[in-house]
Coordinates of all heavy atoms in Angstrom, one line a residue:
M1 N 0.8 -1.2 0.0 CA 0.0 0.0 0.0 C 0.9 1.2 0.0 O 1.9 1.3 0.7 CB -0.9 0.0 1.2 CG -1.7 1.3 1.3 SD -2.8 1.2 2.8 CE -4.2 1.9 2.0
S2 N 0.5 2.2 -0.8 CA 1.3 3.4 -0.9 C 0.9 4.4 0.2 O -0.2 4.5 0.7 CB 1.0 4.1 -2.2 OG 1.8 5.2 -2.5
Y3 N 1.9 5.2 0.7 CA 1.7 6.2 1.7 C 1.5 7.6 1.1 O 2.0 7.8 0.0 CB 2.9 6.2 2.6 CG 3.1 5.0 3.5 CD1 3.6 3.8 3.0 CD2 2.8 5.1 4.9 CE1 3.8 2.7 3.8 CE2 2.9 3.9 5.7 CZ 3.5 2.8 5.1 OH 3.6 1.7 5.9
T4 N 0.8 8.4 1.8 CA 0.7 9.8 1.4 C 1.8 10.6 2.0 O 2.1 10.4 3.2 CB -0.7 10.4 1.9 OG1 -1.7 9.7 1.3 CG2 -0.8 11.9 1.5
I5 N 2.4 11.5 1.3 CA 3.6 12.2 1.8 C 3.1 13.7 2.0 O 2.7 14.3 1.0 CB 4.8 12.2 0.9 CG1 5.2 10.7 0.7 CG2 5.9 13.0 1.4 CD1 6.4 10.5 -0.2
L6 N 3.3 14.2 3.2 CA 3.1 15.6 3.5 C 4.4 16.2 3.8 O 5.2 15.7 4.6 CB 2.1 15.8 4.7 CG 0.8 15.1 4.6 CD1 0.0 15.3 5.9 CD2 0.0 15.8 3.4
V7 N 4.7 17.4 3.2 CA 6.0 18.0 3.3 C 5.8 19.4 3.9 O 5.0 20.2 3.4 CB 6.7 18.1 1.9 CG1 8.0 18.7 2.0 CG2 6.8 16.7 1.3
H8 N 6.7 19.7 4.8 CA 6.7 21.1 5.4 C 7.2 22.1 4.4 O 8.3 21.9 3.9 CB 7.5 21.1 6.7 CG 7.4 22.3 7.5 ND1 8.0 23.5 7.1 CD2 6.8 22.5 8.7 CE1 7.7 24.4 8.1 NE2 7.0 23.9 9.0
K9 N 6.4 23.0 4.0 CA 6.8 24.0 3.0 C 8.0 24.8 3.3 O 8.9 24.8 2.5 CB 5.6 24.9 2.6 CG 5.9 25.9 1.5 CD 4.9 26.9 1.3 CE 5.1 27.9 0.2 NZ 6.4 28.5 0.3
D10 N 8.0 25.4 4.4 CA 9.1 26.4 4.8 C 10.4 25.6 5.0 O 11.5 26.1 4.5 CB 8.8 27.2 6.0 CG 7.6 28.1 5.8 OD1 7.3 28.5 4.6 OD2 6.9 28.5 6.8
K11 N 10.4 24.5 5.7 CA 11.7 23.9 6.1 C 12.1 22.9 5.0 O 13.3 22.6 4.9 CB 11.5 23.1 7.4 CG 11.4 23.9 8.6 CD 11.5 23.1 9.8 CE 11.5 23.9 11.1 NZ 11.6 23.1 12.3
V12 N 11.3 22.4 4.2 CA 11.7 21.4 3.2 C 11.6 21.9 1.8 O 12.6 22.0 1.1 CB 10.8 20.1 3.4 CG1 11.2 19.0 2.4 CG2 11.0 19.5 4.8
L13 N 10.4 22.2 1.3 CA 10.2 22.6 -0.1 C 11.0 23.8 -0.5 O 11.7 23.9 -1.5 CB 8.8 22.8 -0.5 CG 7.9 21.5 -0.5 CD1 6.5 21.8 -0.9 CD2 8.5 20.5 -1.5
D14 N 10.9 24.9 0.3 CA 11.7 26.1 0.0 C 13.2 25.8 0.0 O 13.9 26.4 -0.9 CB 11.4 27.2 1.1 CG 9.9 27.7 0.9 OD1 9.3 27.4 -0.1 OD2 9.5 28.5 1.8
H15 N 13.7 25.0 0.9 CA 15.1 24.7 0.9 C 15.5 23.9 -0.3 O 16.5 24.2 -1.0 CB 15.5 23.9 2.2 CG 16.9 23.6 2.3 ND1 17.8 24.5 2.7 CD2 17.6 22.5 2.0 CE1 19.0 24.0 2.7 NE2 18.9 22.7 2.3
I16 N 14.7 22.8 -0.7 CA 15.0 22.0 -1.8 C 15.0 22.8 -3.1 O 15.9 22.6 -4.0 CB 14.0 20.8 -2.0 CG1 14.3 19.8 -0.9 CG2 14.1 20.2 -3.3 CD1 13.3 18.7 -0.8
H17 N 14.1 23.7 -3.3 CA 14.0 24.5 -4.5 C 15.1 25.5 -4.7 O 15.3 26.1 -5.8 CB 12.6 25.2 -4.6 CG 11.5 24.2 -4.8 ND1 10.2 24.4 -4.4 CD2 11.5 23.0 -5.3 CE1 9.5 23.4 -4.7 NE2 10.2 22.5 -5.3
K18 N 15.9 25.7 -3.7 CA 17.1 26.6 -3.8 C 18.3 25.8 -4.2 O 19.4 26.4 -4.5 CB 17.4 27.3 -2.4 CG 16.3 28.2 -2.0 CD 16.6 28.8 -0.6 CE 15.5 29.7 -0.1 NZ 15.7 30.1 1.2
L19 N 18.3 24.5 -4.3 CA 19.4 23.7 -4.6 C 19.5 23.3 -6.1 O 18.5 23.4 -6.8 CB 19.3 22.4 -3.8 CG 19.3 22.5 -2.3 CD1 19.1 21.2 -1.6 CD2 20.6 23.1 -1.8
E20 N 20.7 23.0 -6.5 CA 20.9 22.6 -8.0 C 20.1 21.4 -8.4 O 19.6 21.3 -9.4 CB 22.4 22.5 -8.3 CG 23.1 23.8 -8.3 CD 24.6 23.6 -8.6 OE1 24.9 22.6 -9.3 OE2 25.4 24.5 -8.3
N21 N 20.2 20.4 -7.5 CA 19.6 19.1 -7.9 C 18.2 18.9 -7.3 O 17.9 17.9 -6.7 CB 20.5 17.9 -7.3 CG 21.8 17.9 -7.9 OD1 22.0 18.2 -9.1 ND2 22.9 17.6 -7.2
T22 N 17.3 19.9 -7.5 CA 16.0 19.9 -7.0 C 15.3 18.6 -7.3 O 14.7 18.0 -6.4 CB 15.2 21.1 -7.5 OG1 15.8 22.3 -7.1 CG2 13.8 21.0 -7.0
R23 N 15.3 18.2 -8.5 CA 14.5 16.9 -8.9 C 15.0 15.7 -8.2 O 14.3 14.8 -7.8 CB 14.6 16.8 -10.5 CG 13.8 15.6 -11.0 CD 12.4 15.9 -10.8 NE 11.6 14.8 -11.3 CZ 10.3 14.7 -11.1 NH1 9.6 15.6 -10.6 NH2 9.7 13.6 -11.6
K24 N 16.4 15.6 -8.0 CA 16.9 14.4 -7.3 C 16.4 14.4 -5.9 O 16.0 13.3 -5.4 CB 18.5 14.5 -7.3 CG 19.1 13.5 -6.5 CD 20.6 13.8 -6.3 CE 21.2 12.9 -5.3 NZ 22.4 13.3 -4.8
H25 N 16.4 15.5 -5.2 CA 15.9 15.5 -3.8 C 14.4 15.2 -3.7 O 14.0 14.5 -2.8 CB 16.3 16.9 -3.2 CG 17.8 17.1 -3.1 ND1 18.7 16.3 -2.5 CD2 18.5 18.1 -3.6 CE1 19.9 16.8 -2.6 NE2 19.8 17.9 -3.3
E26 N 13.7 15.8 -4.7 CA 12.2 15.5 -4.7 C 12.0 14.0 -4.9 O 11.1 13.4 -4.3 CB 11.5 16.3 -5.7 CG 11.5 17.8 -5.4 CD 10.9 18.6 -6.5 OE1 10.9 18.2 -7.7 OE2 10.4 19.7 -6.2
D27 N 12.7 13.4 -5.8 CA 12.6 12.0 -6.1 C 13.0 11.1 -4.9 O 12.3 10.1 -4.6 CB 13.5 11.6 -7.3 CG 13.0 12.1 -8.6 OD1 11.8 12.6 -8.7 OD2 13.7 12.1 -9.6
T28 N 14.0 11.5 -4.2 CA 14.4 10.8 -3.0 C 13.3 10.8 -1.9 O 13.0 9.7 -1.4 CB 15.7 11.4 -2.3 OG1 16.7 11.3 -3.3 CG2 16.0 10.7 -1.0
I29 N 12.6 11.9 -1.7 CA 11.5 12.0 -0.8 C 10.3 11.1 -1.3 O 9.7 10.4 -0.5 CB 11.1 13.4 -0.5 CG1 12.2 14.1 0.3 CG2 9.8 13.5 0.2 CD1 12.0 15.6 0.5
Q30 N 10.1 11.1 -2.6 CA 9.0 10.4 -3.2 C 9.2 8.9 -3.0 O 8.2 8.1 -2.9 CB 8.8 10.7 -4.7 CG 7.6 10.2 -5.3 CD 6.3 10.7 -4.6 OE1 6.2 11.9 -4.2 NE2 5.4 9.8 -4.4
I31 N 10.4 8.4 -2.9 CA 10.7 7.0 -2.6 C 10.0 6.5 -1.4 O 9.6 5.3 -1.3 CB 12.3 6.8 -2.5 CG1 13.0 6.9 -3.8 CG2 12.6 5.5 -1.8 CD1 14.5 6.9 -3.7
L32 N 9.8 7.4 -0.4 CA 9.2 7.0 0.8 C 7.8 6.5 0.7 O 7.3 5.7 1.5 CB 9.2 8.2 1.8 CG 10.6 8.7 2.2 CD1 10.5 9.9 3.1 CD2 11.4 7.6 3.0
A33 N 7.1 6.9 -0.4 CA 5.7 6.6 -0.6 C 5.5 5.1 -0.7 O 4.5 4.5 -0.3 CB 5.1 7.3 -1.8
D34 N 6.4 4.4 -1.3 CA 6.3 2.9 -1.5 C 6.7 2.2 -0.3 O 6.0 1.2 0.1 CB 7.2 2.5 -2.7 CG 6.7 3.0 -4.0 OD1 5.5 3.2 -4.1 OD2 7.5 3.3 -4.9
N35 N 7.7 2.6 0.4 CA 8.1 1.9 1.7 C 9.0 2.8 2.5 O 10.2 2.9 2.2 CB 8.8 0.5 1.4 CG 8.8 -0.3 2.6 OD1 8.9 0.2 3.7 ND2 8.8 -1.6 2.4
P36 N 8.5 3.4 3.6 CA 9.3 4.3 4.3 C 10.2 3.7 5.4 O 11.0 4.4 6.0 CB 8.3 5.2 5.0 CG 7.1 4.3 5.2 CD 7.1 3.4 4.0
Y37 N 10.2 2.4 5.6 CA 10.9 1.8 6.7 C 12.4 1.4 6.3 O 12.6 1.0 5.1 CB 10.2 0.6 7.2 CG 9.0 1.0 8.0 CD1 7.7 0.9 7.3 CD2 9.0 1.5 9.3 CE1 6.6 1.3 8.0 CE2 7.9 1.9 9.9 CZ 6.7 1.8 9.3 OH 5.6 2.2 10.0
P38 N 13.3 1.6 7.2 CA 14.7 1.2 6.9 C 14.8 -0.3 6.6 O 14.0 -1.1 7.1 CB 15.4 1.5 8.2 CG 14.6 2.5 8.9 CD 13.2 2.2 8.5
G39 N 15.8 -0.7 5.8 CA 16.0 -2.1 5.5 C 15.1 -2.7 4.5 O 15.1 -3.9 4.2
S40 N 14.2 -1.8 3.9 CA 13.3 -2.3 2.9 C 13.2 -1.3 1.7 O 13.4 -0.1 1.9 CB 11.9 -2.6 3.5 OG 11.4 -1.4 4.0
G41 N 12.9 -1.8 0.6 CA 12.8 -0.9 -0.6 C 14.1 -0.3 -0.9 O 15.2 -0.8 -0.6
I42 N 14.1 0.9 -1.6 CA 15.3 1.5 -2.0 C 15.5 2.8 -1.2 O 14.6 3.3 -0.6 CB 15.3 1.8 -3.5 CG1 14.1 2.7 -3.9 CG2 15.3 0.6 -4.3 CD1 14.2 3.2 -5.3
G43 N 16.7 3.3 -1.2 CA 17.0 4.6 -0.5 C 17.7 4.2 0.8 O 17.5 3.2 1.4
D44 N 18.6 5.1 1.3 CA 19.3 5.0 2.5 C 18.5 5.6 3.6 O 18.5 6.8 3.9 CB 20.7 5.7 2.4 CG 21.5 5.5 3.6 OD1 21.2 4.8 4.5 OD2 22.6 6.2 3.7
K45 N 17.7 4.7 4.3 CA 16.8 5.1 5.4 C 17.3 4.6 6.7 O 17.9 3.5 6.8 CB 15.4 4.6 5.1 CG 14.8 5.1 3.8 CD 13.5 4.4 3.5 CE 13.9 3.1 2.8 NZ 12.8 2.5 2.1
K46 N 17.1 5.3 7.8 CA 17.5 4.9 9.1 C 16.6 5.5 10.2 O 16.1 6.6 10.1 CB 18.9 5.5 9.3 CG 19.5 5.1 10.6 CD 20.9 5.7 10.7 CE 21.6 5.5 12.1 NZ 22.9 6.1 12.2
Q47 N 16.3 4.6 11.2 CA 15.6 5.1 12.3 C 16.6 5.8 13.2 O 17.7 5.3 13.5 CB 14.9 4.0 13.1 CG 14.1 4.5 14.3 CD 13.4 3.4 15.0 OE1 13.0 2.4 14.4 NE2 13.2 3.6 16.3
L48 N 16.2 7.0 13.7 CA 17.1 7.8 14.6 C 17.2 7.2 15.9 O 16.3 6.5 16.4 CB 16.7 9.2 14.6 CG 16.7 10.0 13.3 CD1 16.3 11.4 13.4 CD2 18.1 9.9 12.6
S49 N 18.3 7.4 16.6 CA 18.5 6.8 17.9 C 17.4 7.0 18.9 O 16.7 8.0 18.9 CB 19.8 7.4 18.5 OG 20.0 7.0 19.9
D50 N 17.1 6.0 19.8 CA 16.0 6.0 20.7 C 16.0 7.2 21.6 O 14.9 7.5 22.1 CB 16.0 4.7 21.5 CG 15.5 3.5 20.7 OD1 14.8 3.7 19.7 OD2 15.8 2.4 21.1
K51 N 17.1 7.8 21.9 CA 17.1 8.9 22.9 C 16.4 10.1 22.3 O 16.1 11.0 23.1 CB 18.5 9.2 23.4 CG 19.4 9.7 22.3 CD 20.8 10.0 22.9 CE 21.7 10.5 21.8 NZ 23.1 10.7 22.3
F52 N 16.2 10.2 21.0 CA 15.5 11.4 20.5 C 14.6 11.0 19.4 O 14.5 11.7 18.4 CB 16.5 12.5 20.0 CG 17.7 11.9 19.2 CD1 17.5 11.6 17.9 CD2 18.9 11.8 19.8 CE1 18.6 11.1 17.1 CE2 20.0 11.3 19.0 CZ 19.8 11.0 17.7
T53 N 13.8 10.0 19.6 CA 12.9 9.5 18.5 C 11.5 9.8 18.7 O 10.7 9.6 17.8 CB 13.0 8.0 18.3 OG1 12.7 7.4 19.5 CG2 14.4 7.6 17.8
E54 N 11.1 10.4 19.8 CA 9.6 10.6 20.0 C 9.2 12.0 19.9 O 9.7 12.9 20.6 CB 9.2 10.1 21.4 CG 9.5 8.6 21.6 CD 8.5 7.7 20.8 OE1 7.4 8.1 20.5 OE2 9.0 6.6 20.5
I55 N 8.4 12.3 18.9 CA 7.7 13.6 18.8 C 6.2 13.2 18.6 O 5.9 12.6 17.6 CB 8.2 14.5 17.7 CG1 9.6 14.9 18.0 CG2 7.3 15.6 17.4 CD1 10.2 15.9 16.9
D56 N 5.4 13.6 19.5 CA 3.9 13.2 19.4 C 3.8 11.7 19.2 O 3.0 11.3 18.4 CB 3.2 14.0 18.3 CG 3.2 15.5 18.5 OD1 3.2 15.9 19.7 OD2 3.2 16.2 17.5
N57 N 4.6 11.0 20.0 CA 4.5 9.5 20.0 C 4.8 8.9 18.6 O 4.3 7.9 18.3 CB 3.2 9.0 20.5 CG 3.0 9.3 21.9 OD1 3.9 9.2 22.7 ND2 1.8 9.7 22.3
Q58 N 5.6 9.6 17.8 CA 6.0 9.1 16.5 C 7.5 8.9 16.4 O 8.3 9.7 16.9 CB 5.6 10.1 15.4 CG 4.2 10.4 15.2 CD 3.4 9.3 14.6 OE1 3.9 8.6 13.7 NE2 2.2 9.0 15.1
K59 N 7.9 7.8 16.0 CA 9.3 7.5 15.8 C 9.8 8.4 14.6 O 9.1 8.7 13.7 CB 9.6 6.0 15.4 CG 9.2 5.1 16.5 CD 10.3 4.8 17.4 CE 9.9 3.7 18.4 NZ 10.5 3.9 19.6
L60 N 11.1 8.8 14.7 CA 11.7 9.6 13.7 C 12.7 8.8 12.9 O 13.4 8.0 13.4 CB 12.5 10.8 14.3 CG 11.6 11.8 15.2 CD1 12.5 12.9 15.7 CD2 10.5 12.4 14.3
F61 N 12.7 9.2 11.6 CA 13.5 8.5 10.6 C 14.2 9.5 9.8 O 13.8 10.7 9.7 CB 12.7 7.6 9.7 CG 11.9 6.5 10.4 CD1 10.7 6.8 10.9 CD2 12.5 5.3 10.6 CE1 9.9 5.8 11.6 CE2 11.8 4.3 11.2 CZ 10.5 4.5 11.7
R62 N 15.3 9.1 9.1 CA 15.9 10.0 8.1 C 16.2 9.2 6.8 O 16.3 8.0 6.8 CB 17.2 10.6 8.7 CG 18.4 9.7 8.8 CD 19.4 9.9 7.7 NE 20.5 9.0 7.8 CZ 20.8 8.0 7.1 NH1 20.0 7.6 6.1 NH2 21.9 7.2 7.3
I63 N 16.2 10.0 5.7 CA 16.6 9.4 4.4 C 17.6 10.3 3.9 O 17.6 11.6 4.0 CB 15.4 9.2 3.4 CG1 15.9 8.5 2.2 CG2 14.8 10.5 3.1 CD1 14.8 7.9 1.3
R64 N 18.7 9.7 3.3 CA 19.8 10.5 2.8 C 19.6 10.8 1.3 O 19.1 10.0 0.5 CB 21.1 9.7 2.9 CG 22.3 10.5 2.7 CD 23.5 9.7 3.0 NE 23.7 8.7 1.9 CZ 24.7 7.8 1.9 NH1 25.6 7.8 2.8 NH2 24.8 7.0 0.8
S65 N 19.9 12.1 0.9 CA 19.8 12.5 -0.4 C 21.1 13.3 -0.7 O 21.2 14.5 -0.5 CB 18.6 13.4 -0.7 OG 18.6 13.8 -2.0
G66 N 22.2 12.6 -1.1 CA 23.5 13.2 -1.3 C 24.0 13.6 0.0 O 24.1 12.8 1.0
Q67 N 24.4 14.9 0.1 CA 24.9 15.4 1.4 C 23.8 15.9 2.3 O 24.0 16.5 3.3 CB 25.9 16.5 1.1 CG 27.2 16.0 0.5 CD 28.2 17.2 0.2 OE1 27.8 18.3 0.2 NE2 29.4 16.8 0.0
H68 N 22.6 15.8 1.8 CA 21.4 16.3 2.6 C 20.7 15.2 3.3 O 20.8 14.0 2.9 CB 20.5 17.0 1.7 CG 21.1 18.3 1.2 ND1 22.0 18.4 0.1 CD2 20.9 19.6 1.5 CE1 22.3 19.6 -0.1 NE2 21.7 20.4 0.8
R69 N 19.9 15.5 4.3 CA 19.1 14.6 5.1 C 17.7 15.1 5.2 O 17.5 16.3 5.4 CB 19.7 14.3 6.5 CG 21.1 13.9 6.5 CD 21.3 12.6 5.9 NE 22.7 12.1 6.0 CZ 23.7 12.3 5.1 NH1 23.4 12.9 4.0 NH2 24.9 11.8 5.3
A70 N 16.7 14.2 5.1 CA 15.3 14.6 5.3 C 14.9 13.8 6.6 O 15.1 12.6 6.7 CB 14.4 14.2 4.1
I71 N 14.3 14.5 7.5 CA 13.8 13.9 8.7 C 12.3 13.7 8.6 O 11.6 14.7 8.2 CB 14.1 14.7 10.0 CG1 15.6 15.0 10.0 CG2 13.6 14.0 11.2 CD1 16.5 13.8 10.2
Y72 N 11.7 12.5 8.9 CA 10.3 12.3 8.7 C 9.8 11.3 9.8 O 10.5 10.7 10.5 CB 10.1 11.7 7.3 CG 10.7 10.3 7.1 CD1 9.9 9.2 7.2 CD2 12.0 10.2 6.6 CE1 10.5 7.9 6.9 CE2 12.6 9.0 6.4 CZ 11.8 7.8 6.5 OH 12.3 6.6 6.3
S73 N 8.5 11.3 9.9 CA 7.8 10.4 10.8 C 6.7 9.7 10.0 O 6.3 10.1 8.9 CB 7.1 11.1 12.0 OG 6.2 12.0 11.6
I74 N 6.2 8.6 10.5 CA 5.3 7.7 9.8 C 4.0 7.5 10.7 O 4.2 7.2 11.9 CB 5.9 6.3 9.5 CG1 7.2 6.5 8.7 CG2 4.8 5.5 8.7 CD1 8.0 5.2 8.7
D75 N 2.9 7.8 10.2 CA 1.6 7.6 10.9 C 1.0 6.4 10.1 O 0.4 6.5 9.1 CB 0.7 8.8 10.8 CG -0.6 8.6 11.6 OD1 -1.0 7.4 11.9 OD2 -1.3 9.6 11.9
E76 N 1.1 5.2 10.8 CA 0.5 4.0 10.2 C -1.0 4.0 10.1 O -1.6 3.5 9.1 CB 0.9 2.7 10.9 CG 2.3 2.2 10.5 CD 2.3 1.8 9.1 OE1 1.4 1.3 8.5 OE2 3.4 2.0 8.5
G77 N -1.7 4.6 11.0 CA -3.1 4.7 11.0 C -3.7 5.3 9.8 O -4.6 4.8 9.2
S78 N -3.1 6.4 9.4 CA -3.5 7.2 8.2 C -2.7 6.9 7.0 O -2.9 7.5 5.9 CB -3.6 8.7 8.5 OG -2.3 9.2 8.7
K79 N -1.6 6.1 7.1 CA -0.7 5.8 6.0 C -0.1 7.1 5.5 O -0.1 7.3 4.3 CB -1.4 5.0 4.9 CG -1.8 3.6 5.3 CD -0.6 2.7 5.5 CE -1.0 1.3 5.8 NZ 0.1 0.5 6.3
T80 N 0.4 7.9 6.4 CA 0.9 9.2 6.0 C 2.3 9.4 6.5 O 2.7 9.0 7.6 CB 0.0 10.4 6.7 OG1 -1.3 10.2 6.2 CG2 0.5 11.7 6.3
I81 N 3.2 10.0 5.7 CA 4.5 10.3 6.1 C 4.6 11.8 6.1 O 4.2 12.5 5.2 CB 5.5 9.8 5.0 CG1 5.4 8.3 4.9 CG2 6.9 10.2 5.3 CD1 6.0 7.7 3.7
F82 N 5.2 12.3 7.2 CA 5.3 13.8 7.4 C 6.8 14.1 7.3 O 7.5 13.7 8.2 CB 4.7 14.3 8.7 CG 4.8 15.8 8.8 CD1 4.2 16.6 7.8 CD2 5.4 16.4 9.9 CE1 4.3 18.0 7.9 CE2 5.5 17.7 10.0 CZ 4.9 18.6 9.1
V83 N 7.2 14.8 6.3 CA 8.6 15.2 6.1 C 8.7 16.6 6.7 O 8.1 17.5 6.1 CB 9.1 15.1 4.7 CG1 10.6 15.5 4.6 CG2 8.9 13.7 4.1
F84 N 9.4 16.8 7.8 CA 9.3 18.1 8.4 C 10.7 18.8 8.5 O 10.7 20.0 9.0 CB 8.7 18.0 9.8 CG 9.4 17.1 10.8 CD1 10.4 17.4 11.6 CD2 8.9 15.8 10.8 CE1 11.0 16.6 12.4 CE2 9.5 14.9 11.7 CZ 10.6 15.3 12.5
D85 N 11.8 18.2 8.0 CA 13.0 18.9 8.0 C 13.9 18.4 6.9 O 13.8 17.2 6.6 CB 13.8 18.8 9.3 CG 14.7 20.0 9.6 OD1 14.9 20.8 8.7 OD2 15.3 20.0 10.7
F86 N 14.7 19.3 6.3 CA 15.6 18.9 5.2 C 16.8 19.8 5.3 O 16.7 21.0 5.4 CB 14.9 19.1 3.8 CG 15.8 18.6 2.7 CD1 15.7 17.3 2.3 CD2 16.6 19.5 2.0 CE1 16.5 16.8 1.2 CE2 17.4 19.1 1.0 CZ 17.3 17.7 0.6
F87 N 18.0 19.2 5.4 CA 19.2 20.0 5.7 C 20.4 19.4 5.2 O 20.4 18.2 4.9 CB 19.3 20.3 7.2 CG 19.4 19.0 8.0 CD1 20.6 18.4 8.3 CD2 18.2 18.4 8.5 CE1 20.7 17.3 9.1 CE2 18.3 17.3 9.2 CZ 19.5 16.7 9.5
K88 N 21.5 20.2 5.0 CA 22.8 19.6 4.7 C 23.5 19.1 5.9 O 23.6 19.9 6.9 CB 23.6 20.7 4.0 CG 24.9 20.1 3.4 CD 25.7 21.2 2.6 CE 26.9 20.6 2.0 NZ 27.6 21.5 1.2
K89 N 23.9 17.9 5.9 CA 24.6 17.3 7.0 C 26.0 18.0 7.2 O 26.8 18.0 6.3 CB 24.8 15.8 6.9 CG 25.3 15.2 8.1 CD 25.4 13.7 8.0 CE 26.0 13.2 9.3 NZ 26.5 11.8 9.1
K90 N 26.2 18.6 8.4 CA 27.4 19.3 8.6 C 28.3 18.5 9.6 O 29.5 18.7 9.6 CB 27.2 20.7 9.2 CG 26.5 21.6 8.2 CD 26.2 22.9 8.8 CE 25.4 23.8 7.8 NZ 25.0 25.0 8.4
S91 N 27.7 17.7 10.4 CA 28.5 16.9 11.4 C 27.8 15.6 11.7 O 26.9 15.2 11.0 CB 28.5 17.7 12.8 OG 27.2 17.8 13.3
G92 N 28.3 14.8 12.6 CA 27.7 13.5 12.9 C 26.4 13.6 13.7 O 25.9 12.5 14.1
K93 N 25.9 14.7 14.0 CA 24.7 14.8 14.9 C 23.6 15.4 14.1 O 23.8 16.1 13.1 CB 25.0 15.6 16.1 CG 26.1 15.0 17.0 CD 26.2 15.7 18.3 CE 27.2 15.0 19.2 NZ 27.3 15.5 20.5
Y94 N 22.3 15.2 14.6 CA 21.1 15.7 13.9 C 20.5 16.8 14.8 O 19.3 16.9 14.8 CB 20.1 14.6 13.7 CG 20.5 13.6 12.7 CD1 21.2 12.4 13.0 CD2 20.3 13.9 11.4 CE1 21.6 11.5 12.0 CE2 20.7 13.0 10.4 CZ 21.3 11.8 10.7 OH 21.7 10.9 9.7
G95 N 21.3 17.6 15.4 CA 20.8 18.7 16.2 C 19.9 18.3 17.3 O 20.3 17.4 18.1
V96 N 18.7 18.9 17.4 CA 17.8 18.6 18.6 C 17.1 17.3 18.4 O 16.4 16.9 19.3 CB 16.9 19.7 18.8 CG1 17.6 21.0 19.1 CG2 16.0 19.9 17.6
Y97 N 17.1 16.6 17.3 CA 16.3 15.4 17.1 C 16.9 14.3 17.9 O 17.1 13.3 17.8 CB 16.2 15.1 15.6 CG 15.6 16.2 14.8 CD1 16.4 16.9 13.9 CD2 14.3 16.6 15.0 CE1 15.8 17.9 13.1 CE2 13.8 17.6 14.3 CZ 14.5 18.2 13.3 OH 14.0 19.2 12.6

């Protein structure tokens, strides 16, 4: 079953549209619709460490797109993925996540 993807306009779409490889990053996020879980499907997906995975009782995940990372959560009840951050990885940490 395919998931619906909701993307935060200010943090994700506006940032992606400023980059040279806009289509590549959009395609990477679209991969999540078929299977958003790590270890399945295509794409470099990972569940973030347990110490910072809960926001509104949702586990947090990331998918890699070149030097950039998209942070997302999955709502199984509504089959929805919410992509709420997209950034260039600068260090080995994900900030406050």
